[in-house]
Amino acid sequence: MTLPRYAYLGPSGTFTEAALRAMVDVDEVEMVPAIDVLSALASVRAGDVDFAVVAIENTVEGGVTATLDTLATGAPLVILGEVVLPVSFELVARPGTTVGSIGAVAAHSHGLAQCRRWLAEHVPGAVQVAATSNAAAAGELAEGVAGFDAALAPPGLGARLGLEVLAAGVADNPHSATRFVKVGRPTAVPHATGADKTTLVVHLPDDRAGALLAMLEQFAARGVNLSRIESRPRSDRPGEYSFSVDALGHIDEPRVAEALVGLKRTNPVVVFLGSYPAASGYPTPVTPGTSEEEFAEARTWVQGLRSGRH
C-alpha cells in the first residue's frame, strides 16, 4: 500500500519537520524534504506529493508572504489543518569557535527576524546570512562548506551534527511561536468541529474610500469574527491590494456560508482556501442571532411569508 507523501521545508531537523511530526504518525507517511515553500506547494499542485506542511504565520514577522502569495494564485490548493509550535533557537558553531570570533551568522530569513535584537546585543557587527532553512545553515556549518561562522538552529540539531552550542533559548520574544498548515488539493471539506477557521483571499472591487469597510461588513453583519487580516500587493494591479483573511467558523455554518455569498456578490475575486479545525481547539464564539438554529428559524419564517403564513 502506497503511503501518503508529505513535502516539507528541509533538510531534516527544521521546525517544519517538527510541525509535520506533530500532525501525523510519521510511520504512516513518506516525508519528502523540499528546498523552499514554493517548491513544497508546487509539488502538491503537480501531484508529486499528496500534501505539504508549510509555515504560514509567526508571532514576530506576521504572515509568511511566500506561503500566502503562493496559495493565493495558481491551481487551487486548500488548507486542511494547522498546528502552532513554540520557536526558539540555539546559536551553534564548529568546535573551538567563540562568540567573540563570530563574523557572520546564518539562518532562514524568518529565524534572523525573530532573533534580530538578540543578535545585535550578543554578536554585534556580525553579518547576517539568509539560508534556505535553519537546518540547512547548520548542515553547511557541520560539513565545513559554509561561508559563515555560526548558525541559528532548532534545539538539539547542532548536537546531532557535532556542532557546539554557544547559546540556547535564543529569541527576541520568549513566547515566539509559528503556525504551520497542512495543504492539499481541493476535496470535500471536512465536517465542522465547532472550533474551526476559514481562510480566504479577497480582491476588492475598486480602490475607493469605504471598499475595505464594505468587505468587512459581510462578516460583521453575520457575526463572523476575523482572527487575521493582512493586505498583500496585487501583482496584476500595482498600488492595489488583496486581503488574506482567517475567519472563525466553518463553511458548513450558515453565518459563514452567507458571508461567503455576500463576498462573492460584491468582490471580483474570492479564493476559498479551506475550512479546517483551529489549532487552539477553542469553540467558535457565536454572536446572539447568528446560530445555525436562528438562521433556520429565520428562513422558515420567510418561507412562511411567501406561502401566506404571517
Side-chain angles (χ1 to χ4, degrees), residues 120-306:
E121 179 181 351
H122 294 88
V123 284
V127 175
Q128 297 182 16
V129 180
T132 55
S133 73
N134 303 303
E140 290 181 24
L141 201 60
E143 293 169 5
V145 298
F148 42 85
D149 310 299
L152 297 175
L157 179 60
R160 292 200 299 273
L161 294 174
L163 298 172
E164 186 174 335
V165 177
L166 302 181
V170 175
D172 290 347
N173 176 2
H175 306 294
S176 180
T178 296
R179 175 179 160 226
F180 298 86
V181 291
K182 171 184 172 181
V183 177
R185 293 180 292 279
T187 185
V189 178
H191 293 301
T193 67
D196 304 285
K197 282 183 183 175
T198 295
T199 298
L200 308 164
V201 175
V202 182
H203 292 191
L204 299 184
D206 45 38
D207 185 17
R208 61 175 174 80
L212 176 58
L213 175 61
M215 186 267 278
L216 295 176
E217 284 177 339
Q218 299 296 335
F219 297 102
R222 296 163 179 90
V224 178
N225 190 31
L226 302 184
S227 61
R228 182 185 63 85
I229 177 169
E230 296 186 49
S231 63
R232 297 297 305 143
R234 289 182 55 176
S235 60
D236 59 333
R237 297 173 68 172
E240 297 188 21
Y241 295 81
S242 64
F243 291 86
S244 177
V245 174
D246 286 341
L248 296 184
H250 192 282
I251 193 172
D252 282 350
E253 297 171 315
R255 63 184 180 278
V256 176
E258 292 206 6
L260 290 177
V261 170
L263 291 171
K264 185 63 176 175
R265 286 190 300 102
T266 56
N267 296 276
V269 176
V270 180
V271 181
F272 174 72
L273 291 177
S275 288
Y276 51 93
S280 68
Y282 297 142
T284 305
V286 179
T287 303
T290 67
S291 70
E292 189 166 347
E293 294 76 14
E294 287 163 321
F295 268 95
E297 290 174 5
R299 288 197 195 95
T300 300
W301 175 69
V302 170
Q303 290 169 357
L305 296 177
R306 288 173 177 158

Side-chain angles (χ1 to χ4, degrees), residues 9-12 14 16 34-35 106-109 130-140 152 154:
L9 177 63
S12 179
T14 61
T16 310
I35 194 171
H108 189 276
S109 58
T132 55
S133 73
N134 303 303
E140 290 181 24
L152 297 175

